[in-house]
Structures are given as C-alpha cells and as structure tokens.
Amino acid sequence: MKAAIRAVLIVILLLALAGGGGAWYIWNGMQPVEPAGPAVTFTIEKGMGSSEIADLLEENGIIRNGLLFKGYLKWVKEGSSFKAGTYTASPGDSYDQLIARLNAGDVVKEETVVFTIPEGFTAAQVADKLAEAWNQKAEVFLKVIDSGAGLAAADRLGIPVNAELRHRLEGYLFPETYELVKDSTPQEIVEAMLEQLEKKLDSIPDWKTKLDKRGLSLHELLTVASLVEREVVVDEERPLVAGVIYNRLNKGQKLEIDATVQYLLDKQKERLLNKDLKVDSPYNTYKNTGLPPGPIASPGLASIQAALEPKASEYYFYVTKKDGSQGHLFGKTYKEHLANIQKSEQSSP
C-alpha cells in the first residue's frame, strides 16, 4: 500500500515538474531577444499570412520562436490586419510592440524627391524639370511624354494619338508640387501627373456633363484651357478670355493667339515679328482656323474651369495692357480693338 502511494506521489511530482518545465519553456520562448546590434530590416510582401510573418521574424532574429508567436497571435486575436511593406525592428522588441507596428503599417520611409511643375509649363519644360530632379537626361522623360505607351491613365483619359501633336501628353501633365519615391521610374512619374489631372477634373462638379453640353472632347477642353493659361495672368479674366476664344471659334474666325506661335519657337520672344506669324505649322492660329492639334502647355485648374464655364460676352478681341497690370482691354469689333491697342500703348510706363 505504501509502495503504491509512493508511486502515485512520484508520478504527480514528475507531472508537476514536466508542467513547470513546459510553462518555463513557453515563458522563456516568448521573452524578447536580447538586444544586440543594429535594427533589422525585413519586408512583408502582399498576401503573406501571419504564420509566414512569424517565421520571417524568427529567421531575422527578431523573436525567439515563431511557433509561440503564432500561438500568441491567436490568443490575442491579432495578425489579420498586418500591412505589407518594409519595416525595421530591433532584437529586444516585445510581441505587443511588433504587433502594434505591423498593424499601423509603420514602414520604413523611403527616400523621396519633391518637385514642382508651374502652371503653363510646356512638355519640354516639364521634362527639363524632371531631369533636374532625378538627375537624368530630359530625353528619358520626353520619350514617355511623347508616346504615353503603357500608361493606364493615358488610356483612361482617352489621349489621342495624332502625328500632328508635338508631344502626345502635352497639356495632360498637371502642374502641381509632387513628392514621389526616389526609385520611381519615368513611367511612374508621368503616370502620377496624369492621375493628378484625373483627380483635379473629378473635383469639378459634373464636369463631364458640362463638357458634353459644350460639345467638346476632353482634348479640346484642355487645348482651350492651355491657350487661356498662356494668355492670361489675372485669374478674373480667364473665363472672359475663354469666352472670346469660343466666340471666334463659333464664327469661324482665326484665333490669332500669339501663344500658339511662341510655342513653336525655341525661345520666347518679347514681341513676335511678322515672319514669325507666317511659320508653317498646324499650331499657328494666325494661318489656320480652329483650335491647334492639341494643348500648348499644362493648364492649371482655374484655366480648365474657365474653359469649361466661360463668361459669355460680345467680345472678339483683347489686347494686353502696357501699364504693368498684366490685364487686358477687350473689344467687340476690330475698330474697338485698334483703339484699345492705341490706348494700351499710351498707358505704357
């Protein structure tokens, strides 16, 4: 009898020791790794489950035991909201610290490039700006701008392919301040600018309905907007100048806009000469009726809105004031226009 009791006590003691040993094993395995060395960088790919992430953390020496981490995740009901990305973690971080970081998507901030495209920049100027920002040749960006090949946003915007266009994406590269990842490819950079145009267009209430009512394509709208952008400095005048452009178009009258000729020149001129107005190009609105084949610059939102909702008037002419205000004098007839030219010259400082 005593022997039997002794045997039971021994078994109980062994079970207690085993249980205690198991508890100690689990407790020890869940302790943070001893802090040593620099932080470790690891990447969680899209689609990775919590089990794969636990193994990844163990492989990188961030936790002691991946199996125990998996068990802990189930116990605290975590792991389903971990976000993909590149992280850094130091050996010594606790389970809860790691979980909080992965849930928050506290990823390593990638080095970025900030650049600004001013309103009214041409495609060539945009390419130069991008080349400067990314320390590459402008031709690298112009190649993408000229073709638009493989850009999803170009397809969504319905940008036409036309041999007469100097640069296919001219006018579609929205002027804005951007911050993009330094490793962005030229295609990704240009795509981001097209996507920004989409966002700005969508910020205009019912813009597609208004466009349909005007009987214009998006390409034509941006062409008018680019003319407004290059001709006007005073914001309040943009809708009025847009209205003058539509008045001339509806009458079949040549637009005779200096900016379309300036677009063809290597360098901007203070004053165009008669020989400049005779240059043979579909963009020359002194020689051709109607709109040029496409935009001549990147219009800002104010110019796009002006082209979409012009101010109605009986004006067919405008001339820049020479008084430094950068505004315009508007005329209904050519006679009024000539008088305004004389008035403008007289106001020159």
Side-chain angles (χ1 to χ4, degrees):
M1 187 68 176
K2 290 181 179 180
I5 294 173
R6 190 181 298 114
V8 171
L9 291 174
I10 291 172
V11 170
I12 292 173
L13 180 60
L14 290 172
L15 290 173
L17 289 171
W24 180 87
Y25 172 79
I26 294 172
W27 177 83
N28 184 65
M30 292 177 63
Q31 296 309 300
V33 175
E34 288 295 326
V40 177
T41 300
F42 62 96
T43 300
I44 294 178
E45 305 290 347
K46 287 184 179 179
M48 286 182 70
S50 58
S51 180
E52 293 174 284
I53 293 170
D55 292 338
L56 180 65
L57 294 176
E58 182 181 355
E59 290 169 10
N60 283 277
I62 297 168
I63 59 176
R64 293 177 184 271
N65 190 304
L67 182 62
L68 295 179
F69 186 62
K70 297 171 193 177
Y72 184 76
L73 291 176
K74 288 184 178 180
W75 181 42
V76 296
K77 297 180 181 179
E78 291 282 5
S80 61
S81 300
F82 289 168
K83 296 176 175 59
T86 300
Y87 295 80
T88 60
S90 300
D93 288 347
S94 68
Y95 280 7
D96 290 335
Q97 287 174 320
L98 291 170
I99 290 170
R101 194 171 302 159
L102 295 174
N103 278 335
D106 187 13
V107 297
V108 177
K109 295 194 182 301
E110 297 183 78
E111 190 174 356
T112 60
V113 173
V114 178
F115 64 96
T116 299
I117 303 301
E119 294 173 348
F121 256 36
T122 65
Q125 290 174 310
V126 171
D128 288 338
K129 195 76 171 179
L130 296 178
E132 179 185 350
W134 263 271
N135 195 28
Q136 295 194 47
K137 292 183 178 180
E139 290 76 11
V140 173
F141 297 98
L142 268 180
K143 184 177 180 181
V144 179
I145 292 170
D146 287 348
S147 71
L151 301 179
D155 293 334
R156 290 195 301 270
L157 289 164
I159 304 176
V161 178
N162 184 345
E164 289 188 331
L165 294 174
R166 296 189 82 191
H167 307 287
R168 185 187 172 201
L169 304 188
E170 183 79 82
Y172 292 83
L173 307 169
F174 194 79
E176 184 71 276
T177 295
Y178 295 85
E179 182 175 7
L180 301 176
V181 176
K182 189 176 182 180
D183 292 337
S184 298
T185 65
Q187 288 78 9
E188 290 170 337
I189 296 165
V190 173
E191 184 93 58
M193 300 176 75
L194 297 180
E195 290 173 352
Q196 187 65 10
L197 173 62
E198 291 181 296
K199 291 177 184 176
K200 292 298 181 179
L201 287 171
D202 289 338
S203 73
I204 303 173
D206 301 320
W207 74 270
K208 290 183 179 179
T209 301
K210 294 172 182 176
L211 187 66
D212 289 341
K213 285 183 178 179
R214 295 214 64 82
L216 297 174
S217 67
L218 176 59
H219 191 70
E220 291 169 329
L221 175 73
L222 292 178
T223 300
V224 173
S226 73
L227 300 179
V228 173
E229 188 65 57
R230 295 292 287 185
E231 289 281 287
V232 184
V233 174
V234 181
D235 281 343
E236 292 77 11
E237 291 187 351
R238 295 184 193 277
L240 193 54
V241 170
V244 172
I245 292 172
Y246 288 124
N247 284 347
R248 281 179 164 251
L249 288 173
N250 292 335
K251 191 177 179 181
Q253 188 173 338
K254 292 176 183 176
L255 293 179
E256 297 184 344
I257 291 177
D258 288 358
T260 62
V261 178
Q262 292 277 15
Y263 179 64
L264 301 170
L265 303 177
D266 294 330
K267 292 183 180 180
Q268 298 287 295
K269 288 187 174 182
E270 187 71 27
R271 184 186 294 271
L272 292 172
L273 305 176
N274 284 331
K275 66 176 183 178
D276 296 321
L277 305 182
K278 296 175 181 178
V279 64
D280 187 21
S281 169
Y283 283 90
N284 186 350
T285 55
Y286 277 87
K287 290 193 68 173
N288 308 291
T289 56
L291 289 171
I296 60 171
S298 293
L301 186 59
S303 292
I304 294 173
Q305 289 176 310
L308 191 60
E309 299 180 272
K311 185 175 180 179
S313 75
E314 295 180 0
Y315 295 133
Y316 283 84
F317 303 90
Y318 59 87
V319 62
T320 304
K321 296 177 183 178
K322 298 293 194 301
D323 59 0
S325 68
Q326 297 183 308
H328 292 86
L329 296 172
F330 294 85
K332 299 176 184 178
T333 65
Y334 187 62
K335 183 178 180 180
E336 284 184 14
H337 181 55
L338 291 177
N340 283 337
I341 292 175
Q342 188 174 9
K343 188 186 299 183
S344 175
E345 294 293 342
Q346 291 174 346
S347 67
S348 177

